Amino acid sequence: MTVTTEISHRSRTEWLLPFGVTLIAMFSLQLSNLGFSPLLPSIQADVGMTFTQLGFFTGLYGLLAMLLSVPAGLSAKRFGEKRVLAAGLVGVAIGSVLLGRAWNFESAVAFRGVTILGYRFAFVSVLIAVALTAPPSLRGRTMGVLGATSAMASVVGAPLGGALVDEFGWRNAILGYALMAMIGATVFWLFYRLAVEPDAAPAVAGAAETAAPPSAFRSPVVWLLALVVGLGGFGQFTITYFVPSVAKTVYGLDASAAGVIIATGYIAAIVLNLVIGVLADRFDKIVVLGGIVAILAMASASLALEHWLVFRVATAVVIGFGFSAANQLYGLAGSLMPRREAGNAMGIVSLGAGLFGYFGPQMVGILRDVTGSFTAGFYMVAAADLMTLGLIVLLYRMTRRPN
Protein backbone atom coordinates (compact mmCIF):
# COMPACT_ATOMS: atom_id res chain seq x y z
CA MET A 1 0.00 0.00 0.00
CA THR A 2 2.86 2.34 0.87
CA VAL A 3 4.67 1.58 -2.38
CA THR A 4 1.50 2.26 -4.37
CA THR A 5 1.02 5.57 -2.58
CA GLU A 6 4.62 6.61 -3.27
CA ILE A 7 4.30 5.74 -6.95
CA SER A 8 1.01 7.65 -7.17
CA HIS A 9 2.54 10.70 -5.48
CA ARG A 10 5.58 10.57 -7.75
CA SER A 11 3.40 10.31 -10.87
CA ARG A 12 1.53 13.44 -9.75
CA THR A 13 4.70 15.51 -9.30
CA GLU A 14 7.17 14.19 -11.88
CA TRP A 15 5.52 16.20 -14.65
CA LEU A 16 6.17 19.55 -12.94
CA LEU A 17 9.85 19.88 -13.92
CA PRO A 18 9.42 19.08 -17.64
CA PHE A 19 6.30 21.25 -17.71
CA GLY A 20 8.19 24.11 -16.07
CA VAL A 21 11.12 24.06 -18.51
CA THR A 22 8.64 23.79 -21.38
CA LEU A 23 7.11 27.05 -20.16
CA ILE A 24 10.58 28.64 -20.21
CA ALA A 25 11.08 27.43 -23.77
CA MET A 26 7.67 28.84 -24.75
CA PHE A 27 8.49 32.19 -23.16
CA SER A 28 11.75 32.55 -25.06
CA LEU A 29 10.09 31.38 -28.28
CA GLN A 30 7.15 33.77 -28.11
CA LEU A 31 9.28 36.66 -26.93
CA SER A 32 10.67 36.93 -30.45
CA ASN A 33 7.51 35.92 -32.31
CA LEU A 34 4.93 38.08 -30.55
CA GLY A 35 7.21 40.78 -29.19
CA PHE A 36 8.58 41.25 -32.70
CA SER A 37 5.65 43.33 -33.98
CA PRO A 38 6.79 46.82 -32.78
CA LEU A 39 9.82 46.41 -35.07
CA LEU A 40 7.64 46.10 -38.19
CA PRO A 41 7.11 49.80 -39.05
CA SER A 42 10.87 50.39 -38.84
CA ILE A 43 11.62 47.32 -40.98
CA GLN A 44 8.97 48.40 -43.48
CA ALA A 45 10.50 51.87 -43.82
CA ASP A 46 14.10 50.62 -43.88
CA VAL A 47 13.67 48.11 -46.69
CA GLY A 48 10.92 50.02 -48.54
CA MET A 49 7.89 47.70 -48.20
CA THR A 50 4.37 48.55 -49.35
CA PHE A 51 1.51 47.46 -47.12
CA THR A 52 0.88 44.55 -49.46
CA GLN A 53 4.51 43.50 -49.06
CA LEU A 54 4.23 43.97 -45.31
CA GLY A 55 1.19 41.70 -45.37
CA PHE A 56 3.24 39.06 -47.20
CA PHE A 57 6.19 39.54 -44.84
CA THR A 58 4.02 38.95 -41.75
CA GLY A 59 1.82 36.38 -43.49
CA LEU A 60 4.90 34.38 -44.41
CA TYR A 61 4.57 32.92 -40.94
CA GLY A 62 1.27 31.35 -41.94
CA LEU A 63 2.48 30.19 -45.33
CA LEU A 64 5.45 28.33 -43.87
CA ALA A 65 3.42 27.10 -40.90
CA MET A 66 0.98 25.58 -43.37
CA LEU A 67 3.85 23.72 -45.05
CA LEU A 68 5.83 22.83 -41.93
CA SER A 69 3.27 21.99 -39.22
CA VAL A 70 2.68 18.36 -40.18
CA PRO A 71 6.40 17.69 -40.85
CA ALA A 72 7.14 19.26 -37.46
CA GLY A 73 4.71 16.89 -35.74
CA LEU A 74 6.14 13.89 -37.59
CA SER A 75 9.70 14.97 -36.74
CA ALA A 76 8.86 15.33 -33.06
CA LYS A 77 7.30 11.87 -33.07
CA ARG A 78 10.32 10.39 -34.88
CA PHE A 79 13.23 12.17 -33.14
CA GLY A 80 11.60 13.31 -29.91
CA GLU A 81 10.14 16.68 -28.95
CA LYS A 82 13.25 17.52 -26.88
CA ARG A 83 15.64 17.48 -29.84
CA VAL A 84 13.24 19.16 -32.25
CA LEU A 85 12.30 21.96 -29.83
CA ALA A 86 15.90 22.78 -28.89
CA ALA A 87 16.98 22.75 -32.56
CA GLY A 88 14.02 24.96 -33.45
CA LEU A 89 15.00 27.60 -30.89
CA VAL A 90 18.54 27.65 -32.26
CA GLY A 91 17.03 28.20 -35.72
CA VAL A 92 15.03 31.15 -34.37
CA ALA A 93 18.22 32.70 -33.01
CA ILE A 94 20.09 32.26 -36.31
CA GLY A 95 17.21 33.66 -38.35
CA SER A 96 16.88 36.70 -36.06
CA VAL A 97 20.57 37.55 -36.40
CA LEU A 98 20.36 37.23 -40.19
CA LEU A 99 17.20 39.36 -40.38
CA GLY A 100 19.01 42.12 -38.52
CA ARG A 101 21.40 42.25 -41.50
CA ALA A 102 18.73 42.34 -44.25
CA TRP A 103 19.33 44.94 -46.98
CA ASN A 104 16.11 44.75 -49.07
CA PHE A 105 12.64 43.22 -49.13
CA GLU A 106 13.78 39.93 -50.67
CA SER A 107 16.56 39.36 -48.14
CA ALA A 108 14.23 40.28 -45.27
CA VAL A 109 11.71 37.69 -46.47
CA ALA A 110 14.41 35.03 -46.84
CA PHE A 111 15.87 35.59 -43.37
CA ARG A 112 12.43 35.82 -41.79
CA GLY A 113 11.76 32.45 -43.39
CA VAL A 114 14.73 30.96 -41.51
CA THR A 115 13.32 32.31 -38.24
CA ILE A 116 9.86 30.90 -38.94
CA LEU A 117 11.32 27.52 -39.90
CA GLY A 118 12.88 27.21 -36.47
CA TYR A 119 9.85 28.69 -34.74
CA ARG A 120 7.33 26.31 -36.26
CA PHE A 121 9.23 23.15 -35.34
CA ALA A 122 9.76 24.50 -31.82
CA PHE A 123 6.14 25.62 -31.38
CA VAL A 124 4.62 22.29 -32.38
CA SER A 125 7.09 20.53 -30.08
CA VAL A 126 6.05 22.77 -27.17
CA LEU A 127 2.43 21.70 -27.64
CA ILE A 128 3.48 18.06 -27.79
CA ALA A 129 5.63 18.42 -24.67
CA VAL A 130 2.69 19.86 -22.72
CA ALA A 131 0.33 17.16 -24.00
CA LEU A 132 2.77 14.42 -22.98
CA THR A 133 3.72 15.78 -19.56
CA ALA A 134 0.55 17.31 -18.09
CA PRO A 135 -2.14 15.11 -16.50
CA PRO A 136 -5.27 14.79 -18.69
CA SER A 137 -7.47 15.99 -15.82
CA LEU A 138 -5.60 19.32 -15.84
CA ARG A 139 -5.56 19.78 -19.61
CA GLY A 140 -7.53 23.03 -19.63
CA ARG A 141 -5.57 24.59 -16.81
CA THR A 142 -2.14 23.59 -18.11
CA MET A 143 -2.98 24.95 -21.55
CA GLY A 144 -4.20 28.09 -19.81
CA VAL A 145 -0.88 28.42 -17.98
CA LEU A 146 0.96 27.84 -21.27
CA GLY A 147 -1.12 30.56 -22.91
CA ALA A 148 -0.54 32.92 -20.00
CA THR A 149 3.22 32.31 -20.28
CA SER A 150 3.09 33.02 -23.99
CA ALA A 151 1.11 36.19 -23.34
CA MET A 152 3.62 37.26 -20.70
CA ALA A 153 6.35 36.96 -23.33
CA SER A 154 4.54 39.54 -25.43
CA VAL A 155 3.87 41.77 -22.42
CA VAL A 156 7.62 41.86 -21.85
CA GLY A 157 8.73 41.69 -25.48
CA ALA A 158 6.46 44.22 -27.17
CA PRO A 159 7.17 47.28 -24.99
CA LEU A 160 10.82 46.27 -24.67
CA GLY A 161 11.12 45.91 -28.42
CA GLY A 162 9.42 49.27 -29.00
CA ALA A 163 11.73 50.98 -26.52
CA LEU A 164 14.85 49.37 -28.03
CA VAL A 165 13.77 50.38 -31.53
CA ASP A 166 13.36 54.00 -30.48
CA GLU A 167 16.72 53.97 -28.67
CA PHE A 168 19.00 51.72 -30.76
CA GLY A 169 17.18 50.90 -34.00
CA TRP A 170 15.47 47.65 -35.00
CA ARG A 171 18.66 45.95 -36.23
CA ASN A 172 20.13 45.97 -32.73
CA ALA A 173 16.82 45.35 -30.98
CA ILE A 174 16.30 42.04 -32.76
CA LEU A 175 19.57 40.64 -31.37
CA GLY A 176 18.01 40.53 -27.91
CA TYR A 177 15.37 38.13 -29.19
CA ALA A 178 18.09 35.89 -30.62
CA LEU A 179 19.83 35.77 -27.24
CA MET A 180 16.64 34.78 -25.44
CA ALA A 181 16.02 31.96 -27.93
CA MET A 182 19.47 30.52 -27.18
CA ILE A 183 18.87 30.74 -23.42
CA GLY A 184 15.55 28.93 -23.81
CA ALA A 185 17.13 26.19 -25.90
CA THR A 186 19.87 25.61 -23.33
CA VAL A 187 17.54 25.40 -20.33
CA PHE A 188 15.11 23.08 -22.11
CA TRP A 189 17.87 20.76 -23.33
CA LEU A 190 19.43 20.45 -19.88
CA PHE A 191 16.33 19.85 -17.78
CA TYR A 192 13.52 18.42 -19.92
CA ARG A 193 12.68 14.75 -19.59
CA LEU A 194 9.54 12.76 -20.36
CA ALA A 195 8.13 11.40 -17.10
CA VAL A 196 5.42 9.27 -18.75
CA GLU A 197 5.81 7.30 -21.95
CA PRO A 198 3.47 8.44 -24.76
CA ASP A 199 1.72 5.05 -24.94
CA ALA A 200 1.27 4.73 -21.19
CA ALA A 201 -2.22 6.19 -21.06
CA PRO A 202 -4.93 7.46 -23.40
CA ALA A 203 -5.51 11.19 -23.51
CA VAL A 204 -9.18 10.98 -22.55
CA ALA A 205 -9.84 9.76 -19.04
CA GLY A 206 -11.68 6.48 -18.99
CA ALA A 207 -10.94 5.69 -22.64
CA ALA A 208 -10.08 2.07 -23.34
CA GLU A 209 -6.70 1.26 -24.81
CA THR A 210 -6.61 -0.67 -28.03
CA ALA A 211 -3.87 -2.48 -29.90
CA ALA A 212 -4.13 -0.02 -32.80
CA PRO A 213 -5.11 3.49 -31.61
CA PRO A 214 -6.91 5.67 -34.18
CA SER A 215 -4.68 7.82 -36.36
CA ALA A 216 -5.01 11.59 -36.15
CA PHE A 217 -4.74 11.74 -39.94
CA ARG A 218 -8.00 9.76 -40.22
CA SER A 219 -9.92 11.76 -37.63
CA PRO A 220 -12.46 14.21 -39.13
CA VAL A 221 -12.72 15.96 -35.74
CA VAL A 222 -8.98 16.76 -35.74
CA TRP A 223 -9.20 18.19 -39.26
CA LEU A 224 -12.22 20.26 -38.26
CA LEU A 225 -10.26 21.52 -35.25
CA ALA A 226 -7.51 22.60 -37.64
CA LEU A 227 -10.03 24.71 -39.55
CA VAL A 228 -11.48 26.17 -36.34
CA VAL A 229 -8.03 27.07 -34.98
CA GLY A 230 -7.04 28.71 -38.25
CA LEU A 231 -10.21 30.65 -38.97
CA GLY A 232 -10.78 31.63 -35.35
CA GLY A 233 -7.19 32.54 -34.56
CA PHE A 234 -6.13 34.52 -37.58
CA GLY A 235 -7.85 37.67 -36.25
CA GLN A 236 -5.72 37.73 -33.12
CA PHE A 237 -2.61 36.94 -35.13
CA THR A 238 -3.31 39.51 -37.87
CA ILE A 239 -4.28 42.32 -35.51
CA THR A 240 -1.18 41.80 -33.38
CA TYR A 241 1.03 42.40 -36.41
CA PHE A 242 -0.96 45.33 -37.82
CA VAL A 243 -1.51 47.26 -34.57
CA PRO A 244 1.79 49.20 -34.98
CA SER A 245 0.84 50.21 -38.53
CA VAL A 246 -2.69 51.22 -37.51
CA ALA A 247 -1.36 53.12 -34.51
CA LYS A 248 1.12 54.99 -36.69
CA THR A 249 -1.01 55.78 -39.75
CA VAL A 250 -4.40 56.35 -38.07
CA TYR A 251 -3.48 57.68 -34.61
CA GLY A 252 0.06 59.03 -35.19
CA LEU A 253 1.71 56.93 -32.48
CA ASP A 254 5.32 55.70 -32.32
CA ALA A 255 6.67 52.17 -31.80
CA SER A 256 6.74 52.48 -28.00
CA ALA A 257 3.06 53.43 -27.85
CA ALA A 258 2.16 50.59 -30.19
CA GLY A 259 4.09 48.20 -27.98
CA VAL A 260 2.07 49.34 -24.96
CA ILE A 261 -1.19 48.71 -26.84
CA ILE A 262 -0.10 45.17 -27.73
CA ALA A 263 1.14 44.58 -24.19
CA THR A 264 -2.27 45.62 -22.83
CA GLY A 265 -3.89 42.92 -24.94
CA TYR A 266 -1.48 40.29 -23.70
CA ILE A 267 -1.86 41.37 -20.08
CA ALA A 268 -5.55 40.67 -20.58
CA ALA A 269 -4.56 37.35 -22.19
CA ILE A 270 -2.62 36.31 -19.07
CA VAL A 271 -5.71 36.61 -16.88
CA LEU A 272 -8.11 35.25 -19.49
CA ASN A 273 -5.97 32.18 -20.21
CA LEU A 274 -5.98 31.20 -16.56
CA VAL A 275 -9.70 31.86 -16.06
CA ILE A 276 -10.77 30.15 -19.27
CA GLY A 277 -8.48 27.21 -18.47
CA VAL A 278 -10.40 26.63 -15.24
CA LEU A 279 -13.76 27.01 -17.02
CA ALA A 280 -12.68 24.55 -19.72
CA ASP A 281 -11.90 21.91 -17.08
CA ARG A 282 -15.14 22.45 -15.17
CA PHE A 283 -17.62 22.91 -18.01
CA ASP A 284 -18.02 21.77 -21.60
CA LYS A 285 -14.91 22.99 -23.44
CA ILE A 286 -16.71 23.49 -26.75
CA VAL A 287 -19.51 25.53 -25.20
CA VAL A 288 -16.94 27.74 -23.48
CA LEU A 289 -15.15 28.21 -26.81
CA GLY A 290 -18.40 29.17 -28.53
CA GLY A 291 -18.95 31.98 -26.03
CA ILE A 292 -15.40 33.23 -26.57
CA VAL A 293 -15.78 33.37 -30.35
CA ALA A 294 -19.05 35.31 -30.06
CA ILE A 295 -17.22 37.95 -28.01
CA LEU A 296 -14.40 38.02 -30.58
CA ALA A 297 -16.80 38.74 -33.42
CA MET A 298 -18.17 41.85 -31.67
CA ALA A 299 -14.71 43.10 -30.71
CA SER A 300 -13.31 42.63 -34.23
CA ALA A 301 -16.14 44.66 -35.76
CA SER A 302 -15.54 47.41 -33.16
CA LEU A 303 -11.99 47.89 -34.45
CA ALA A 304 -13.44 49.50 -37.57
CA LEU A 305 -14.60 52.47 -35.47
CA GLU A 306 -11.86 55.10 -35.65
CA HIS A 307 -11.97 55.99 -31.96
CA TRP A 308 -8.82 55.75 -29.85
CA LEU A 309 -10.40 54.28 -26.69
CA VAL A 310 -12.57 51.81 -28.64
CA PHE A 311 -9.53 50.72 -30.65
CA ARG A 312 -7.46 50.07 -27.54
CA VAL A 313 -10.20 48.15 -25.70
CA ALA A 314 -11.21 46.14 -28.78
CA THR A 315 -7.56 45.26 -29.46
CA ALA A 316 -7.17 43.97 -25.90
CA VAL A 317 -10.32 41.86 -26.25
CA VAL A 318 -9.32 40.39 -29.63
CA ILE A 319 -5.80 39.54 -28.48
CA GLY A 320 -6.80 38.29 -25.03
CA PHE A 321 -9.78 36.14 -25.97
CA GLY A 322 -8.31 35.04 -29.31
CA PHE A 323 -5.11 33.86 -27.70
CA SER A 324 -7.01 31.99 -24.98
CA ALA A 325 -9.29 30.27 -27.49
CA ALA A 326 -6.38 29.05 -29.61
CA ASN A 327 -4.63 27.45 -26.63
CA GLN A 328 -7.77 25.65 -25.49
CA LEU A 329 -8.34 24.33 -29.01
CA TYR A 330 -4.84 22.84 -29.03
CA GLY A 331 -5.60 21.27 -25.66
CA LEU A 332 -8.87 19.88 -27.02
CA ALA A 333 -6.98 18.25 -29.87
CA GLY A 334 -4.65 16.59 -27.39
CA SER A 335 -7.53 15.28 -25.28
CA LEU A 336 -9.41 13.76 -28.21
CA MET A 337 -6.54 11.56 -29.40
CA PRO A 338 -4.34 8.92 -27.72
CA ARG A 339 -1.07 10.24 -26.32
CA ARG A 340 0.99 8.47 -28.96
CA GLU A 341 -0.86 10.51 -31.63
CA ALA A 342 -0.20 13.85 -29.91
CA GLY A 343 2.52 14.81 -32.40
CA ASN A 344 0.36 14.14 -35.45
CA ALA A 345 -2.69 15.83 -33.90
CA MET A 346 -0.79 18.99 -33.00
CA GLY A 347 0.80 19.09 -36.44
CA ILE A 348 -2.57 18.87 -38.18
CA VAL A 349 -4.21 21.49 -35.97
CA SER A 350 -1.23 23.81 -36.47
CA LEU A 351 -1.71 23.36 -40.21
CA GLY A 352 -4.97 25.30 -39.97
CA ALA A 353 -3.28 28.08 -38.02
CA GLY A 354 -0.66 28.31 -40.74
CA LEU A 355 -3.17 28.50 -43.58
CA PHE A 356 -5.07 31.44 -42.14
CA GLY A 357 -1.98 32.94 -40.57
CA TYR A 358 -0.85 33.55 -44.14
CA PHE A 359 -4.23 34.46 -45.58
CA GLY A 360 -5.18 36.97 -42.86
CA PRO A 361 -2.25 39.43 -42.93
CA GLN A 362 -1.99 39.17 -46.72
CA MET A 363 -5.65 40.10 -47.21
CA VAL A 364 -5.55 42.93 -44.65
CA GLY A 365 -2.48 44.36 -46.39
CA ILE A 366 -4.12 44.15 -49.82
CA LEU A 367 -7.37 45.69 -48.57
CA ARG A 368 -5.39 48.53 -46.94
CA ASP A 369 -3.59 49.34 -50.21
CA VAL A 370 -6.77 49.08 -52.30
CA THR A 371 -9.15 51.01 -50.02
CA GLY A 372 -6.68 53.27 -48.21
CA SER A 373 -8.18 52.18 -44.87
CA PHE A 374 -8.00 49.27 -42.44
CA THR A 375 -11.80 49.18 -42.03
CA ALA A 376 -12.45 46.51 -44.66
CA GLY A 377 -9.79 44.27 -43.11
CA PHE A 378 -11.34 44.54 -39.65
CA TYR A 379 -14.78 43.61 -41.00
CA MET A 380 -13.19 40.63 -42.74
CA VAL A 381 -11.83 39.46 -39.38
CA ALA A 382 -15.28 39.83 -37.78
CA ALA A 383 -16.83 37.76 -40.59
CA ALA A 384 -14.23 35.04 -40.00
CA ASP A 385 -15.20 34.95 -36.31
CA LEU A 386 -18.84 34.40 -37.22
CA MET A 387 -17.87 31.56 -39.55
CA THR A 388 -15.81 30.06 -36.73
CA LEU A 389 -18.84 30.13 -34.45
CA GLY A 390 -20.74 28.04 -37.00
CA LEU A 391 -17.87 25.54 -37.18
CA ILE A 392 -17.86 25.23 -33.38
CA VAL A 393 -21.54 24.32 -33.46
CA LEU A 394 -20.66 21.61 -36.01
CA LEU A 395 -17.78 20.44 -33.82
CA TYR A 396 -20.12 20.19 -30.83
CA ARG A 397 -22.49 17.96 -32.77
CA MET A 398 -19.69 15.77 -34.17
CA THR A 399 -18.11 15.10 -30.78
CA ARG A 400 -21.44 13.99 -29.35
CA ARG A 401 -22.21 11.42 -32.02
CA PRO A 402 -21.55 7.76 -31.20
CA ASN A 403 -18.27 6.47 -32.70
Side-chain angles (χ1 to χ4, degrees):
M1 186 68 175
T2 304
V3 174
T4 303
T5 302
E6 290 178 355
I7 293 174
S8 177
H9 176 72
R10 187 166 62 248
S11 65
R12 288 197 301 268
T13 58
E14 272 188 341
W15 65 277
L16 291 175
L17 178 60
F19 180 71
V21 296
T22 301
L23 294 181
I24 293 174
M26 185 62 151
F27 182 87
S28 62
L29 183 65
Q30 296 291 54
L31 191 70
S32 62
N33 184 56
L34 299 175
F36 170 75
S37 56
L39 280 62
L40 289 173
S42 299
I43 297 174
Q44 180 184 12
D46 201 359
V47 302
M49 296 185 198
T50 65
F51 278 101
T52 299
Q53 289 176 324
L54 180 63
F56 178 80
F57 181 75
T58 56
L60 182 66
Y61 164 86
L63 181 62
L64 291 181
M66 181 172 56
L67 299 174
L68 297 172
S69 291
V70 173
L74 293 171
S75 297
K77 185 176 181 180
R78 171 66 178 84
F79 300 106
E81 68 279 1
K82 179 177 181 178
R83 294 175 181 173
V84 175
L85 199 159
L89 281 168
V90 173
V92 169
I94 294 173
S96 298
V97 172
L98 291 174
L99 180 57
R101 300 295 176 263
W103 58 91
N104 58 19
F105 172 69
E106 290 75 15
S107 62
V109 168
F111 296 147
R112 178 65 175 157
V114 175
T115 305
I116 296 169
L117 174 66
Y119 172 86
R120 203 61 201 169
F121 276 78
F123 178 76
V124 172
S125 297
V126 164
L127 298 175
I128 296 169
V130 172
L132 293 181
T133 57
S137 61
L138 299 177
R139 185 83 62 187
R141 274 165 277 197
T142 51
M143 292 305 295
V145 172
L146 182 69
T149 302
S150 185
M152 178 62 75
S154 185
V155 170
V156 174
L160 179 62
L164 290 175
V165 168
D166 292 339
E167 188 69 25
F168 303 108
W170 73 270
R171 295 183 184 276
N172 292 321
I174 202 170
L175 298 179
Y177 297 137
L179 176 61
M180 275 303 302
M182 291 301 300
I183 293 174
T186 302
V187 172
F188 184 81
W189 181 260
L190 291 176
F191 297 104
Y192 178 82
R193 65 180 185 275
L194 189 59
V196 180
E197 291 300 317
D199 292 333
V204 182
E209 297 220 39
T210 61
S215 169
F217 291 102
R218 295 196 297 270
S219 171
V221 172
V222 172
W223 287 101
L224 179 59
L225 272 173
L227 188 58
V228 172
V229 168
L231 194 60
F234 97 143
Q236 170 260 329
F237 175 82
T238 302
I239 292 206
T240 297
Y241 280 113
F242 272 92
V243 161
S245 298
V246 177
K248 182 177 181 179
T249 59
V250 178
Y251 300 104
L253 302 174
D254 60 13
S256 294
V260 171
I261 295 173
I262 296 169
T264 302
Y266 283 101
I267 289 173
I270 294 172
V271 178
L272 288 170
N273 267 284
L274 298 175
V275 172
I276 292 172
V278 173
L279 293 176
D281 281 338
R282 291 189 177 183
F283 303 102
D284 190 297
K285 289 181 174 62
I286 300 179
V287 173
V288 172
L289 288 166
I292 294 172
V293 174
I295 295 172
L296 284 173
M298 293 184 287
S300 298
S302 299
L303 287 167
L305 303 173
E306 292 191 4
H307 187 281
W308 160 243
L309 181 59
V310 172
F311 173 73
R312 183 160 189 166
V313 172
T315 298
V317 172
V318 170
I319 292 176
F321 278 94
F323 206 68
S324 302
N327 281 287
Q328 291 304 320
L329 285 165
Y330 282 117
L332 183 59
S335 67
L336 291 173
M337 298 301 298
R339 293 171 68 88
R340 65 177 296 174
E341 285 295 310
N344 292 336
M346 295 305 177
I348 293 169
V349 174
S350 298
L351 178 66
L355 174 62
F356 290 96
Y358 167 73
F359 175 77
Q362 185 71 80
M363 285 303 300
V364 170
I366 292 172
L367 289 171
R368 170 61 176 78
D369 281 338
V370 171
T371 65
S373 169
F374 288 101
T375 301
F378 292 146
Y379 281 132
M380 180 190 70
V381 172
D385 291 332
L386 291 175
M387 293 173 64
T388 304
L389 188 58
L391 292 175
I392 288 177
V393 173
L394 177 60
L395 180 65
Y396 181 88
R397 297 184 64 180
M398 288 180 67
T399 54
R400 270 124 190 97
R401 292 175 182 170
N403 290 334

